[in-house]
Amino acid sequence: MTTLSTAPTTPPQRANRVRWNIPVRLRKSILVTHVVSAGSWIGIDVISIVLVAIGWVRAGDDRTAAYRALADFFVVPLLLSALVAGTLCLITGLLLGLATKWGLVRFWWVAVKLVLNVIACAMMLAFLGPVTELATGAQPLQDIWFVSFLAATALALLSFATVLSVFKPWGRVRK
C-alpha cells in the first residue's frame, strides 16, 4: 500500500488583493472611530434639520430672529463639525477597506458607501460658501433652504449607507 503525502498548500494569492495586516486592537479602534464619526455626522444632520424646521414654523420677526441665531451660532460650526466627521468617516472607511476582508471595491456595498461618503463631503464643501454668506448676513435669511436641503440629503445618504453596512447586499464586484 502506497501512501501519498501532500505538502500543505497555501491558497494562491490574488494579484488584485490589497490587504493591510494590522493588529486587532488597532483595527477595532479604527472601526469604533468610523462608527462614532458616522453617528456624529448623522446627529449633526438631525440637529440642523430641527433648527431649520424651528425657523420655518416661526413667523415674521420670530423667523428672522430664529434664522439669525441659526446662522450665527449653529450653521457654520455645525457644517464644519459635519465636514470633520465626514472626512474622518471617509479616512477610517478607507483604512478599514484596506485592512479587512471587505476591501475598498471588492464588494458593491463597500464601493457604494465610499461613493456616498465622497458625495456627501463634496456637498458640504459646495455649500460651505453660501452658508458662510448666510452667517455673515451677506445673503437674505429667506434663502436658508439649502441648509435644510444639505442636511436632509446627507441624512438620507448616511441612512442608506448604514443600511448597506448592516445588510451587505449585492455581493462581489467581480467574481
Side-chain angles (χ1 to χ4, degrees):
M1 183 160 180
T2 307
T3 58
L4 297 174
S5 73
T6 58
T9 59
T10 59
Q13 296 293 323
R14 293 184 184 152
N16 63 352
R17 183 176 177 179
V18 176
R19 190 156 176 202
W20 178 39
N21 290 323
I22 60 173
V24 172
R25 284 188 180 198
L26 178 58
R27 183 184 53 80
K28 287 184 179 183
S29 297
I30 293 170
L31 179 60
V32 167
T33 304
H34 183 71
V35 171
V36 168
S37 64
S40 300
W41 196 2
I42 290 171
I44 291 166
D45 286 337
V46 169
I47 290 170
S48 299
I49 290 170
V50 168
L51 291 172
V52 170
I54 289 170
W56 272 340
V57 297
R58 300 288 184 183
D61 290 338
D62 286 343
R63 176 179 285 176
T64 302
Y67 281 163
R68 177 60 59 206
L70 179 66
D72 290 343
F73 301 111
F74 293 106
V75 174
V76 173
L78 279 177
L79 187 59
L80 291 176
S81 300
L83 189 57
V84 168
T87 304
L88 188 60
C89 190
L90 179 63
I91 291 168
T92 55
L94 290 171
L95 291 174
L96 287 170
L98 292 172
T100 64
K101 67 180 179 179
W102 302 112
L104 283 177
V105 289
R106 188 175 301 150
F107 289 86
W108 281 110
W109 68 271
V110 178
V112 170
K113 278 185 61 177
L114 180 63
V115 169
L116 292 176
N117 193 314
V118 170
I119 289 171
C121 286
M123 283 176 41
M124 284 189 291
L125 285 173
F127 280 100
L128 192 57
V131 169
T132 305
E133 288 176 13
L134 176 70
T136 61
Q139 189 169 342
L141 291 174
Q142 292 79 15
D143 292 340
I144 200 163
W145 66 269
F146 53 82
V147 176
S148 59
F149 171 78
L150 177 65
T153 304
L155 185 60
L157 293 177
L158 294 171
S159 298
F160 184 60
T162 303
V163 170
L164 292 177
S165 295
V166 172
F167 291 102
K168 298 173 180 50
W170 307 319
R172 286 185 169 271
V173 171
R174 286 179 264 152
K175 297 280 181 186

